[in-house]
Amino acid sequence: MPSARGMKHTMLFAWMLVAGGWLAGQAAEVRLQRVPEGGVQPQVITDARGVVHLVYLRGDPKACDVFYARREPGLREFGAADTLVNAIFVAVSPADVEALAALPGVRYVRELRPVRMAMTRANDVVKSAAAWAQLGGQGASGTGVKIAIIDSGIDHTHPSMQDASLPMPAGYPKCSGDECAYTNSKVIVARSFVDQLVYAYPDDTRPDDNSPRDRSGHGTAAASVAAGAVVDSPLGRMSGVAPKAYLGNYKVFGSPGVNDVAFDDTIVAALEAAVLDKMDIASLSLGSASLWGPNDRGATCNEAAGVACDIQVEAVENAVKAGMTVVVSAGNDGDVGLQIPSL
């Protein structure tokens, strides 16, 4: 019997508009939850036949700017994306994938891959000193820039995450409820997506820390490399490449030994949040064995012309089109992809 983790798939739907009459008839069953930057959370409605309808309203509901998808009983939905990709994430048996792909409005169905953290090192290798010289020195590097770290979290109490000279930008910090306790003058965003890992597998899961706290240190290390403040360490004075930049904490990995991997839906959700939070740069120091190359599309993976074979490629490209710079590590799995060598 395959585990729930082996049944996680992505179902992508086309956009549709729903007539105002349909919404009006179901209005009593819709509970709208406001989110930052306008719009509401996905709304789920079950009709008398047990068919589930997912509705996502963007901006003013009266404008009927609606994302709509219909799914049959038995499909468990655990997330949706509509900013960078049009996707609904569901848990289904592999035997049902072909039938899902044949549903009207479905572009394609793709299995969600496990994604692991990738290590980074060596400030000197990237020749930071030469860049600093062109930017007015190390102390000015990164001024005003906002970098999203999509990783295991950030320890906002770490010495490299302290810079009292940085003013809080207007509209920040970006956080919700208890997450705000994990922000400071340098870490100006704190969001956790670990709940998508914990609750995605009701038959195969353990409790985890859903807060933005970094339980492994990997995210804090990645944040320090990108924008750590100047500190004196046992190894000498050190800093990130852009020590005056702000940081955003987008936690997608859980605690070691509990949720060591994330999946495409979690990564996409975090990247969408970073775009909506108006971060300038996103850092993804993570990856998995390559199934497709970044330019693989259409017939390469038996899809329609122009359709990216990798959902993360589609999300990253759309983030870049929205004005964000996205930096993705080459990964640690170059010897185990479908094509050798692979990144």
Side-chain angles (χ1 to χ4, degrees), residues 191-197 210 249-252 266 269-270 273:
R191 301 193 187 279
S192 174
F193 301 87
V194 175
D195 60 339
Q196 294 185 206
L197 305 176
N210 292 345
N249 176 2
Y250 297 83
K251 181 179 176 180
V252 296
T266 319

Side-chain angles (χ1 to χ4, degrees), residues 32-296:
L32 304 182
Q33 300 178 19
R34 295 290 172 183
V35 296
E37 309 299 335
V40 296
Q41 294 286 14
Q43 308 300 307
V44 177
I45 301 171
T46 304
D47 65 22
R49 296 185 301 112
V51 176
V52 178
H53 303 262
L54 176 69
V55 183
Y56 191 98
L57 296 95
R58 302 173 64 236
D60 184 0
K62 295 180 181 178
C64 203
D65 184 10
V66 175
F67 171 54
Y68 168 73
R70 173 181 178 275
R71 57 189 174 90
E72 297 295 333
L75 295 184
R76 191 171 57 81
E77 176 267 328
F78 50 84
D82 79 326
T83 300
L84 300 179
V85 298
N86 294 333
I88 294 177
F89 306 102
V90 299
V92 299
S93 167
D96 296 327
V97 171
E98 187 174 342
L100 289 177
L103 290 175
V106 177
R107 290 174 60 199
Y108 63 88
V109 177
R110 182 81 73 242
E111 184 176 7
L112 297 179
R113 304 160 300 162
V115 178
R116 295 175 173 82
M117 293 172 277
M119 299 306 295
T120 58
R121 65 175 90 177
N123 203 356
D124 292 340
V125 172
V126 298
K127 300 182 179 180
S128 297
W132 292 335
Q134 299 181 45
L135 297 172
Q138 179 183 19
S141 180
T143 300
V145 176
K146 299 183 287 293
I147 304 174
I149 304 296
I150 300 177
D151 212 290
S152 66
I154 297 177
D155 179 3
H156 68 295
T157 68
H158 191 279
S160 65
M161 299 296 110
Q162 312 302 313
D163 190 341
S165 71
L166 292 176
M168 183 64 70
Y172 293 84
K174 301 282 189 181
C175 50
S176 177
D178 293 342
E179 292 178 339
C180 296
Y182 296 86
T183 63
N184 59 24
S185 60
K186 186 166 186 66
V187 182
I188 60 173
V189 179
R191 301 193 187 279
S192 174
F193 301 87
V194 175
D195 60 339
Q196 294 185 206
L197 305 176
V198 174
Y199 300 114
Y201 314 101
D203 300 322
D204 181 18
T205 190
R206 289 176 285 175
D208 202 348
D209 181 0
N210 292 345
S211 77
R213 185 190 308 273
D214 185 1
R215 291 290 183 178
S216 74
H218 187 277
T220 302
S224 296
V225 169
V230 179
V231 296
D232 291 314
S233 76
L235 300 177
R237 177 158 290 193
M238 57 188 294
S239 80
V241 176
K244 284 298 180 180
Y246 295 105
L247 288 163
N249 176 2
Y250 297 83
K251 181 179 176 180
V252 296
F253 293 103
S255 300
V258 182
N259 286 295
D260 293 300
V261 301
F263 290 86
D264 292 320
D265 58 318
T266 319
I267 307 303
V268 169
L271 189 56
E272 285 197 343
V275 170
L276 294 174
D277 288 340
K278 296 180 169 48
M279 304 302 283
D280 301 304
I281 300 170
S283 169
L284 290 83
S285 184
L286 46 82
S288 60
S290 176
L291 296 177
W292 312 105
N295 296 319
D296 286 343

